[in-house]
Structures are given as C-alpha cells and as structure tokens.
C-alpha cells in the first residue's frame, strides 16, 4: 500500500512538472506564432510605405531578427499579452518600448553588416539592442535611467544576448572607447542631435533618430556621413501620406 | 415667500465656488495632463447642471419639502466633493497619448468625467432647489447665481495669483462650508447640529496635512521625464494664473537645450537650468559670463539667419522667455534690444532670482524688458526696429500632437503680421521660426498668412520680399520691409551651406537648391511657397489635405489644420502609427460635443418621453415644446455671445487672462443686475416689455460686431486704464439685457406652470454644455462674427417662442 502511495505521489509530481513544462512550451509556441504574424503585418506595412522608405520590402535579415527576438521578454509582465501587437507599450518611468514596425524601419535604415559596430543611446527595455545584436557583432547600448538600465541588462541576459555591451549613464558623449561606429540609434532624443555622436559616426556611417513624443513617432531622421565627412539628413515619414496629390 | 439675504449670499458663494472650481480644474488638468481637456471640463461641469435639473424636475415636490436640510447637505457635499473628486480622478491611470492604441483609456476618461461632474451636480442642486422653492422670486435667485459666478471669475484669478493650484481646493472647500454655515445660522431655525457639522468639516479642511493634496503629474510630461535623470531636482516652483513654473537643476548630467541646432555644429550650450511651464514646454536659463563666444551654438540655428543678412542695430523679440534669443542677439553684437514677455514670473527668474547665473542679462544697459502681450506692446509704441523676431514659443511635442488646434492665437494672424511690419524699419525684417512638421502644416499656413498680410498692405509682389530656410528641426520665415537684394540672397546661401540648412524660398530660387541637406520625400515647403505666391494659391489651399487657409483675427487658429475629407485616409493609417496626423485637440472637441449632445438627449428627451406627467406637463398642454426651444436657444445664445465677445475684447485688452476676467465678470455681474431688474419688466402687462431686452441684445450685438474695428481703433488710441473702463462700459448694457430673458420666462412659468421650473433649469444647463463646445467649433470654421449673428438668430427664435410660454 505504501509503495502504491509512493508511486502515486511521484506520478503526480512528474505530471505537475510535465504540465508546467508543456504549458511553458505551449506559451513559447504561442508567442512564436504571434511573432510570426506580427512580422507578416510589418512586412505588409513596409510594402505600403515603400515610396517613403525608398525600398520595396523589409530587409530579410531584419525580418529574421524580428521573428527571432522574443519581444515578450522585454516588456513588463502585465504587458506580455500585448507584446506582439504592433503598438508601443509602457515600460515604466514614463518610457515606452517602440512600435515594432518603427523598430523594424529604424533597424533597416541602418543597413548593418555582421562585422559592424553599432551604438544605441537609450536602451529602454533592451529590445532594440537585441534586434541590433542579431544583425551586428558589436552592440553598445547606454541608458541614463538606472533602474531601466539594470532591468534591460537582465532582459538581454535572460534572452541570451550576453555579447551586448550595456552601460548606465549619459549618452550625449556616446561611447568614446568603442567609437567610431558604423551605425547609431538615438532612441532618447534630446532637443538636438549631440555633436559628439556625429563625430563618433564613421565616414559612410548612418544614424537613425525617431522624432516625436512617447507613443507617437512623428518621423524618422536618417543622418548619414559620407566619406568626406559631409553630413546630411533624410526625414522619413513612417506612413504612406502625401499632403498634396494631383496637379495644382 | 421671499428668500433671506443670507440664502442669496450662500447661493452666490456656491455659484462663485463652482465657477472657480471649473477654472481651477482647467488649470489642474493643464498641469497633470494637457490643456486640451479644457472643453471636456467645461462640458462636464455643465453636465452636472443638466443632471441636477432632471432629478429636481422629477422629484421636485418631495425634495422641496426637505428644502432646509437638502440645501445645506448639497452645500456641504459640494464642499467635500470638490477636493476629493479631483484627488480621486487623478488616481485614474488615464494617458491620452495611449487613447488610440488602448481603448480602455476611454473608460478611464469616462470615469474621470463622471467623478468630476459630481461637485457641479451638488452646486446645481443648490441653485435649482432655491429657484423652485422661491418660485415667485426667481429673478433674485438667478441674480445671486450670476453675480456669484461673476465674483468667482475674478476671485479665482486672485486665488491663482496667491496660492498654488492644489491649495485652492482647500479654499473652495472652506467657501462651501461658509455658505452652509450662513444658511444654517441665519436662514433656518433649529440649526445647531448643522452649524456643528459645518465647523467640523471646516476644521478638517484646515487641519488636513498639505502633503495629502498633491498633484500627480503624468509620467509622460517632459518635467517628469527629466526628473528621471539622476541628479536632477526641482529647485524652485512658482505659480500664477499664467502657469505653474518649475526650475530644475541637473547636478550630474548637464542640460543641453538647443533646439534646431545644425548637424554641423561643434559648439555645445554652457551650463543651463531647465524651466518648465505646467510641467511641459521646457526652456532653459543659460549660464552667461558676458562673453558672447560662449553662446556661439545659438548661431547654428535657422533663427540666426537675419543677423547674417545685414548688421542690425535695433531689434524686438516677441516672447523673450528665459532669454536665449537675447543671447543670440548679444552674440551678434546688437546694441539695442527690446524684449517682450507675457509672464512676469519668467522675467523675474532671469532678472532677479537667477540674475547672477544668467549674467545679469535682463539688466544689461542695451536690453529693455517689457512685461506685456506682443500686440499690446506694439499698439502702445511708435518705435520701429531693424528686426522683429518671433522665436519658437511652444514645445515641439505639444505643437506636433495638435494640442493647440483649438487655442486662439493672435500672434500669427494677417492683422498681427501687418502690425509687426508697420514697426519694421525700411529694409528691416520680420522673422518667425517654427518647428518642422512632416507633412508640413503650420509653416504653409503661416506662409499663406504672411503673403495675405503683404497683399493687404498693397505689396504687389510679395514673392520679392520673402525668404525662408529650413533645418532638420526648425524653419525660419522672413518678411522684409523692402525688396530682397542679390547680396542678401548670396548671404542666405552662404549661411545655409555652412550650417547644412536648405533654402525653402528666395526670389529666383530653383528647385535643384531646395532639398540637399535635409532631404524630404518631396520639397514640400518649397512647393507650398511657390504655389502660395502664384495665382493658383487658392487651388493649392483647397487641394491641400490640411487646412492651411490664412489665419485672421476673426479666425485666429494658426494651429487648426483639420479637414474632414482627410479623416478617412488618416484613420486608415492609424494601425501603422499615423496617429500623429490626427489633430487630437480638435477631435477631442468633437468627441466632447457628441458626448454633450448624447447627454442632453438623454437628460431632456428621455424624461420627456417617459415621465411627461411627472415633469409637470399637463396632458394636452402644448406649451412645453416652445418652452424647450426657448430655454435651449437662451442657453446656446448666451454663451455664443459671451465667448465671441471675450475673444473680440482680447484684441483690445491684449492680455488674454485679464481680458477673459474683465469680460466674463462684467457679463456675469451685469447679467445678475439685469436679472434682478427684470422683476419690474415681468410685472408689466405690455408684451413689448418682454421684447425690449431681446431687441437690445440683438441691436448691440450687431452694432458691436459690425463696428468692432472702429471701436478697437478708437480704444487702442486711449490709455491702458481706459481700455478696461471703456470695455466694461460697452459690455455692461449687453450683459444687463442678457440677464433678463431667463428669469422673465421663469417668472411667467411660475404663474402658469411652476412645476416646470426645474425642467427649464435643466434644459438651460444642457444647452450650455453644447454651447460652450459648439461656439468654438463654429468660430474655428466660420469666425467670431458669424457666431455673434447666429446668437442673434437664436435670441430671435427665443423671442418668437416667448408669447407661447404664457399660454396656460
């Protein structure tokens, strides 16, 4: 009798463990399915906006990265059910994690290669850094709000992005020791583009800045430095909207 | 039965407190959220009045029997609910920026709406119950109500000048207690228990720890965003009716406020202190040691262009703020600077409190600071300048999100531009800097306004007098008082080349020059400038997907860009993040109107349909419909005229705050007097006696409206005190007459069907809800003159209905 009880006990324990494990697997599988659907939505939106983005479709590497990075690992627990909706989410401290479509365009605009070195100013949740890490070997990211920086570093580690260099501090002067960079993403924009960041951009490098308030990106600025060091900016509208159509 | 003086005083105190609470809520929401909730608040205030009217109408007999305890209870409930409802409402996690993403935010908004309608409901009960209880003396009660509101409109401005907004909540709590105490001691017998209760609540209001009434500012406002940065702290806080000012110091990470800085800039701003108005609109006081080279970064913005066109000797800055444009002029060795700033507290910060930090900038011998409104200053001076500079006055975020769409702005209208140009010396410049928006909205609208102003000033070829450039963040438009020379064009090109800016327009520009450094999908601004300067300008304005029609004094809405035909396209883009194309302020106004109409239908039509006899409408009686129309038209017409004249008089009195206070309080106080006087007319058997005030309202409104330019022209030549005196003299007869129709009709009804008095009170409340919002929408679409004429029509309809009210 005792042995039967013992057996039943262990069967129950194993059952519970299997159940927990399978629910985790099911949840992961569900998240993966949602992520896949989200990437398809983003691809469709990029096609609709191709005229403004100057390209026909989203770069394959960028869409692969979006499909791979678990966005739900980078949002607060109460926002997890919405992690794969194409919208910005609050991450506390008055900050947001950008709309995935905007993350996709910003990443694509950088035109990164595997060997590139890229800097992100404003780590936020760490999601953008994780996407960058899928595309480039060297990713450096700075966050000024300490609790966010600590949380983002933990998120990155948990999601397996150990190679991302994180730092808590002021991003105005970039990351002098690691400069120059092939790409820079400034997600926490000040009243102007910091001159030191432009200086730390390699000739031929690209810098992307979203302009607008939290929850609302108005337009993207792509700053490029040509081989002669001449700096130009391109202002890109993330939606397909022309103020004037037809002949007038 | 005659109401005692103490009761009339208590009604006046409650009305004063309710109006003060309404204004206070607008201020509080401007601080914790954004100011475009003003209309929501107006409508929710009046919604409370509408609900009260219906409840009183349905239960009038039962309630009026309990008049003494009920009136005191409602006064005390108003007193307690005013602070508590606000504190509760600010704990609802409402984030307007998320509204388009998360529908649950709409529920949060509804929650705030209902909670804040409560205090107004209690205040309305006090007036409504009194009107019905003293039905033979309605004009006295209504006079007390209006006079109270008039006193409240002045009182709240005084309170806002003396106390922090959150402290005023306690003051209003006490005023409710005083009203209840007055009634319990002097108006009713056997009232010791009530008096004790009043004293307990009053003591609680005084003894409550001040920390328990604290403002919970949205984490998405720029003040709170900055305070997340380690080492930042608020070092000073000031409050006035013009705004709550916070000064923030950052001890670890330097603040670097330099909007519009060129991508080629190397120089950085020196140490700065951040200054926020209403927890937003950040500007900075820059440390200045008297050496212009330390502020060289200011030469790397588009607004520096005029200084490179020629050596300037006398300039005027309209909107000096914390002084960065004065520093820019200093950098360019300008020897005579006049600077106008509306907010004396901002001036005080730079001139006195942080004078050492700012290098005694505002006390420099060559700098003259004028605390005034821009047009008011110019109207009073004959001085002319080489340059009149209107810098960036609003923050990018609120400008881009369409929050200012329904805010009147007399700084950027055809008439104001003409006025500026009159003060520009021959070959001098008017320079206006704005944020870049994509797709462009305010820049083409400003261009259209400037071009129209030049045409009105008989300039045959405006295109020969305009220059415009843009960076990645700002654009600067220059109108010259003379023909642009080849030398100036050459200097402009050099200025742009060195800083990576693009020319937008100069006489003779070619398309190949306009989109090189800050590349846009199309050179939108250049296209707009060329089209607006050509003879196809109207076709361009019509075809443009946003409203870029020139702003005028009659339609002073530079930031209103909404076009209905573009809405479907924008809605289809919301999923992809196109919400920035929506004009949130305007749409909230529409939402508030829909809300108000639905609430009014619910409050007026539903009881009429379900409980006709309970409302006091006798079967077969047909006079309730003319009555509905009469009180509805009065509710609409009164506010139409009041709002239109507030706006018209801002042009004479200049200062928006003083204009609103003077006009509003004059209207309400004289309407109160009119109401009191109306008893005499009501007693007259002559029907013409009832028509007299209506006819006077129509006549005065039309005369003022048509002759306003002459009146304004005459008044502007007189002194500052005379402006106010003459304005009061002009408004008083109109207000006096406007106070009569409502109590005269109530007096009539009290003779034929007194049961309908509370219902009439409710109808008037509902119409006022709609009116406050509709007036703004009509003014935005058709202008203030049309609004006044509509009000006259409404008074005409009311006059037509009046004889039918008397048919029992």
């Amino acid at each position: 009798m005792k042995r039967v009880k013992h057996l039943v006990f262990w069967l129950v324990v194993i059952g519970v463990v299997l159940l927990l494990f399978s629910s985790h697997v099911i949840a992961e599988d569900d998240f993966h399915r949602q992520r896949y659907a989200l990437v398809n939505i983003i691809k469709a939106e990029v096609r609709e906006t191709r005229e403004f983005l100057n390209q026909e479709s989203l770069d394959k590497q960028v869409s692969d990265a979006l499909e791979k990075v678990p966005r739900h690992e980078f949002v607060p627990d109460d926002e997890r059910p919405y992690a794969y909706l194409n919208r910005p989410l609050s991450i506390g401290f008055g900050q947001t994690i950008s709309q995935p479509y905007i993350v996709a365009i910003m990443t694509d605009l950088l035109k990164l290669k595997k060997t590139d070195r890229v800097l992100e100013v404003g780590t936020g949740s760490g999601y953008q850094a994780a996407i960058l890490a899928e595309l480039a070997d060297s990713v450096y990211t700075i966050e000024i709000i300490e609790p966010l920086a600590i949380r983002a570093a933990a998120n990155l580690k948990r999601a397996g992005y150990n190679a991302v260099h994180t730092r808590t501090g002021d991003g105005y002067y970039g990351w002098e020791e690691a400069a120059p960079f092939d790409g820079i993403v400034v997600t926490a924009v000040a009243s102007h583009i910091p001159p030191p960041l432009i200086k730390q951009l390699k000739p031929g490098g690209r810098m992307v800045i979203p302009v607008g308030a939290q929850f609302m990106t108005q337009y993207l600025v792509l700053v490029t430095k040509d081989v002669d060091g001449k700096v130009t900016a391109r202002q890109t509208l993330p939606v397909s909207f022309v103020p004037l159509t037809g002949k007038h | 039965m005659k109401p005692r003086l103490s009761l009339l005083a208590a009604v006046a105190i409650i009305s004063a407190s309710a109006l003060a609470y309404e204004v206070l809520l607008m201020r509080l929401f401007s601080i914790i959220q954004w100011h475009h909730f003003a209309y929501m608040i107006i409508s929710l205030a009046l919604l409370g009045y509408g609900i009260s009217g219906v409840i009183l109408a349905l239960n009038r007999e039962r309630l009026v029997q309990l008049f003494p305890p009920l009136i005191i209870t409602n006064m005390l409930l108003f007193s307690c609910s005013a602070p508590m409802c606000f504190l509760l409402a600010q704990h609802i996690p409402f984030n307007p920026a998320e509204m388009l993403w998360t529908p649950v935010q709409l529920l949060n908004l509804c929650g705030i709406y209902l909670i804040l309608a409560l205090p107004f409901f209690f205040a309305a009960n006090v007036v409504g119950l009194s009107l019905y209880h003293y039905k033979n003396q309605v004009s006295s009660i209504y006079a007390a109500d209006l006079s109270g509101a008039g006193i409240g409109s002045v009182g709240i401005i005084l309170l806002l000048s003396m106390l922090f907004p959150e402290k005023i909540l306690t003051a209003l709590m006490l005023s409710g207690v005083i009203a209840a105490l007055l009634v319990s001691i002097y108006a009713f017998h056997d009232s010791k228990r009530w008096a004790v209760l009043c004293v307990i609540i009053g003591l609680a209001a005084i003894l409550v720890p001040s920390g328990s009434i604290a403002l919970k500012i949205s984490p998405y406002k720029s003040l709170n965003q900055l305070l997340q940065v380690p080492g930042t702290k608020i070092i000073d806080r000031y409050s006035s009716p013009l705004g709550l000012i916070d000064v923030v110091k950052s001890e670890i990470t330097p603040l670097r406020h330099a909007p519009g800085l060129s991508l080629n800039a190397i120089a950085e701003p020196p140490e700065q202190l951040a200054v926020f108005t209403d927890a937003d609109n950040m500007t900075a006081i820059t440390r200045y040691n008297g050496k212009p080279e330390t502020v060289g970064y200011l030469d790397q913005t588009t607004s520096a262009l005029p200084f490179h066109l020629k050596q300037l000797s006398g300039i005027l800055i309209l909107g000096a703020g914390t002084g960065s444009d004065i520093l820019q002029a200093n950098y360019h060795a300008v020897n005579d600077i006049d600077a106008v700033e509306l907010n004396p507290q901002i001036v005080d910060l730079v001139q006195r409190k942080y004078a050492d930090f700012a290098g005694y900038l505002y006390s420099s011998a060559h700098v003259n600071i004028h605390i005034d409104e821009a047009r008011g200053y110019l109207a009073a001076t004959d001085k002319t300048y080489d340059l009149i500079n209107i810098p960036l006055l609003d923050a990018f975020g609120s400008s881009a999100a369409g929050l200012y769409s329904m805010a009147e702005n007399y700084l950027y209208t055809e008439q104001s531009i003409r006025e500026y140009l009159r003060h520009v010396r021959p070959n001098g410049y008017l320079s206006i800097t704005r944020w870049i928006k994509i797709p462009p909205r305010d820049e083409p609208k400003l261009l259209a306004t400037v071009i129209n102003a030049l045409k009105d000033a008989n300039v045959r070829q405006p295109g020969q007098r305009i220059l415009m450039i843009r960076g990645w963040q700002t654009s600067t438009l220059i109108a010259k008082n003379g023909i642009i020379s080849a030398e100036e064009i050459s200097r402009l090109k050099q200025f742009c080349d060195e800083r990576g800016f693009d020319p937008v327009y100069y006489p003779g520009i070619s398309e190949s020059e306009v989109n090189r450094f800050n590349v846009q999908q199309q050179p939108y601004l250049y296209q707009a400038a060329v089209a607006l300067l050509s003879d196809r300008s109207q076709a361009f304005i019509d075809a443009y997907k946003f409203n870029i029609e020139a702003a005028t004094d009659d339609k002073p809405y530079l930031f209103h860009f909404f076009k209905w035909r573009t809405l479907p396209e924008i809605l289809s883009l919301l999923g992809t993040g196109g919400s920035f194309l929506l004009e949130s302020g305007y749409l909230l106004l529409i939402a508030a109107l829909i809300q108000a109409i639905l609430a009014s239908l619910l409050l007026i039509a539903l009881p009429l349909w379900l409980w006709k006899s309970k409302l006091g409408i006798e079967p077969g009686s047909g006079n309730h419909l003319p009555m509905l129309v009469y009180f509805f038209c009065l509710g609409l017409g009164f506010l139409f005229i009041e709002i239109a004249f507030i706006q018209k008089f801002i042009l004479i009195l200049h200062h928006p705050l003083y204009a609103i206070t003077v006009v509003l309080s004059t209207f309400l106080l004289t309407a109160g007097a009119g109401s009191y006087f109306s008893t005499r007319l009501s007693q007259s058997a002559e029907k013409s006696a009832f028509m007299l005030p209506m006819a006077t309202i129509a006549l005065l409104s039309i005369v003022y409206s048509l002759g306003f330019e002459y009146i304004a022209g005459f008044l502007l030549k007189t002194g500052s005190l005379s402006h106010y005196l003459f304005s009061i003299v002009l408004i008083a007869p109109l207000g006096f007459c406007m106070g009569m129709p409502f109590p005269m009709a109530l007096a009539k009804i009290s003779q034929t069907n007194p049961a309908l008095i509370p219902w009439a009170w409710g109808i008037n409340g509902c119409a006022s809800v709609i009116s406050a919002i509709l007036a703004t929408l009509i003014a935005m679409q058709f202008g203030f003159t049309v609004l006044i004429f509509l009000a006259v029509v409404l008074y005409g309809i009311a006059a037509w209905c009046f004889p039918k009210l008397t048919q029992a």
Side-chain angles (χ1 to χ4, degrees), chain B residues 36 79 482:
Chain B
H36 55 311
S79 166

Side-chain angles (χ1 to χ4, degrees), chain A residues 45 51 87 90 94 170 172-173 191-193 195 198 214-215 217-219 233-235 237 242-244 248, chain B residues 95 98 101 220 225 253 256 258 263 265 268 438 472-473 517-521 536 540 543 545 576 580:
Chain A
E45 284 179 8
E51 202 187 321
R87 66 171 169 93
S90 168
D170 179 19
Y172 193 86
Y173 293 104
S191 70
H192 59 277
I193 300 171
I198 293 176
Q214 302 285 350
F215 294 100
T217 304
Q218 318 269 337
Y219 59 90
R234 181 155 72 89
Q235 290 154 317
L237 203 60
V242 189
L244 191 65
H248 304 282
Chain B
N95 176 22
E98 237 180 314
W101 299 108
Y220 303 105
Q225 301 257 311
T253 312
R256 307 166 188 104
L263 294 176
E268 292 168 27
I438 303 175
W472 74 274
Q473 214 176 6
F517 296 105
N518 303 279
V519 183
Q520 297 183 346
Q521 187 68 21
R536 59 194 164 91
F540 179 83
K545 287 183 185 168
T576 42
F580 67 93

Side-chain angles (χ1 to χ4, degrees), chain B residues 337-394:
Chain B
I337 304 169
D338 275 333
V340 177
E341 170 55 45
L342 184 68
N343 193 333
Q345 287 184 329
I346 296 268
V347 171
D348 190 57
L349 284 178
V350 188
Q351 200 164 38
R352 197 182 55 81
K353 184 89 185 178
Y354 298 100
D356 186 38
F357 186 91
Y360 298 93
L361 184 68
Y362 281 10
S363 313
S364 309
H366 65 294
V367 177
N368 301 302
I369 301 291
H370 308 272
I371 298 169
D372 208 337
E373 190 272 342
R375 289 180 72 174
Y377 170 77
L378 284 175
T381 181
D382 292 325
K383 198 169 170 185
T384 55
Y385 299 91
D386 274 352
L387 168 69
I388 294 183
N389 184 16
I390 305 178
L392 282 171
L393 298 170
D394 46 329

